[in-house]
Amino acid sequence: MTTRRQFLTMLGATGVAAAAPRSLFAAAAETEEPFSFLFITDAHLQPELNGVVGTDMAMKKARTFKADFAINGGDHVFDSLGVPKQRALSLFDLYEKTEQDLGLKVHHTIGNHDVLGIYASSGVPATDPLYGKKLFEERFGKLYYSFDHKGHHFVVLDSIGITPDHAYEGRVDDAQLQWLAADLAALPAGTPIIVSVHIPLVSAFASYVPEQSTSSAHHSLTVANANQVLDLFAGHNVLGVLQGHTHINELVEWKGVPYITSGAVCGNWWKGARMGTPEGFTVATVANGRLTTRYETYGFKAVAS
């Protein structure tokens, strides 16, 4: 287990960046070319409740916006956790076919519902070659990674922790934390960074819902060890963190970094708006050292509520 002290030590290489005022980060970024991209999350694609129709509508609406690429924020399908393998495979097939209507390069973030067979009800044995996150890796590639675009560094994280009792929680594991520390340390000081994660690192969602009479067995609404990730962001020019999972629009700023949670393509699981947030996706623009977003709906009409 890597300790908090060890992670902070790993940040030593970023001391120059940590000492630089954020205003200098912004000034340097003003020379970069502006661009836009899409953040499309929580499609929960399924044939029931017109879920495939709705996802296709969202993709076709999204392609009408000028964007360099798209990031899928996770939960591509509903559901791989607790269904037979063939059902999960058919859902991924449907998703991949539907995504083609977007007409853009898509970078994929794993969501909890993209994990195969974790629930015992699925009947998928742990020995299956596609069990757990292997199906996602086969279809979309690495679970966590980074890429660069027009002078900006994008980091895609895997926030899905699989628990011993066949459930999930929000967690970024030790191997990934070590990778993230090294990835950020290798950047030139002041490099603008944008992060994608499915389960939120920072959110006030629990404040919007009634108090729970019993505590949940797992930390599933946010990342349990988010503080370790946030420590790694310190001293870096993080323009924003894009998040999914809760299906609502939310902006929380912590230590100068905006944590932007997007509403879902499926809204309230294809049953209308989710706590006032209708079905939609996020359009993100990067210019003058800032990340700004707006939420776009696409006209889906739920057949059930």
Side-chain angles (χ1 to χ4, degrees):
M1 178 70 72
T2 305
T3 68
R4 178 184 174 97
R5 180 185 297 275
Q6 288 171 320
F7 276 115
L8 292 176
T9 300
M10 295 171 73
L11 286 175
T14 65
V16 174
R22 191 167 184 82
S23 59
L24 294 183
F25 290 153
E30 288 178 1
T31 63
E32 304 291 349
E33 178 185 352
F35 63 94
S36 294
F37 65 95
L38 306 175
F39 185 70
I40 300 174
T41 191
D42 292 273
H44 286 252
L45 182 143
Q46 61 179 37
E48 297 80 16
L49 301 178
N50 283 344
V52 175
V53 173
T55 305
D56 187 58
M57 288 174 63
M59 296 297 183
K60 288 178 177 175
K61 174 67 177 291
R63 73 180 299 168
T64 65
F65 297 96
K66 179 177 173 55
D68 288 10
F69 59 89
I71 296 176
N72 187 307
D75 281 358
H76 299 62
V77 302
F78 189 75
D79 170 65
S80 288
L81 284 169
V83 300
K85 180 178 177 180
Q86 286 307 311
R87 164 75 176 189
L89 292 176
S90 69
L91 291 173
F92 273 85
D93 288 343
L94 281 172
Y95 175 82
E96 289 184 281
K97 181 179 179 181
T98 306
E99 186 185 90
Q100 293 176 14
D101 284 332
L102 185 57
L104 286 174
K105 165 68 177 177
V106 180
H107 301 276
H108 297 272
T109 311
I110 189 170
N112 49 292
H113 289 289
D114 300 324
V115 181
L116 175 65
I118 298 303
Y119 293 168
S121 58
S122 71
V124 181
T127 54
D128 190 289
L130 295 180
Y131 180 81
K133 299 177 182 180
K134 295 298 183 182
L135 173 57
F136 181 92
E137 290 182 278
E138 180 189 75
R139 295 300 181 101
F140 300 123
K142 294 180 180 179
L143 298 172
Y144 54 89
Y145 55 95
S146 60
F147 64 94
D148 297 303
H149 184 77
K150 294 183 177 178
H152 293 70
H153 190 67
F154 286 78
V155 176
V156 177
L157 298 177
D158 168 12
S159 59
I160 314 304
I162 299 174
T163 62
D165 59 345
H166 295 279
Y168 74 88
E169 65 177 357
R171 183 169 295 277
V172 175
D173 65 23
D174 286 345
Q176 187 177 176
L177 287 169
Q178 293 181 39
W179 168 85
L180 178 60
D183 184 73
L184 296 179
L187 296 174
T191 300
I193 300 163
I194 297 170
V195 179
S196 172
V197 65
H198 181 67
I199 297 179
L201 292 170
V202 175
S203 173
F205 182 82
S207 301
Y208 314 141
V209 295
E211 182 179 2
Q212 301 298 306
S213 57
T214 58
S215 60
S216 174
H218 299 290
H219 198 101
S220 60
L221 280 177
T222 56
V223 172
N225 63 328
N227 65 301
Q228 292 182 289
V229 181
L230 304 189
D231 282 348
L232 296 180
F233 291 164
H236 291 284
N237 184 19
V238 181
L239 301 188
V241 177
L242 294 164
Q243 312 175 133
H245 192 55
T246 60
H247 298 210
I248 64 167
N249 278 323
E250 179 190 58
L251 170 61
V252 178
E253 185 173 304
W254 175 246
K255 294 187 177 180
V257 177
Y259 291 81
I260 305 160
T261 305
S262 174
V265 169
C266 74
N268 190 33
W269 288 266
W270 302 114
K271 295 181 179 180
R274 163 71 161 163
M275 295 171 60
T277 301
E279 303 86 355
F281 53 88
T282 292
V283 179
T285 299
V286 181
N288 300 320
R290 293 190 61 202
L291 170 68
T292 58
T293 60
R294 70 179 188 274
Y295 191 67
E296 295 284 346
T297 58
Y298 61 89
F300 181 78
K301 301 298 183 184
V303 296
S305 60

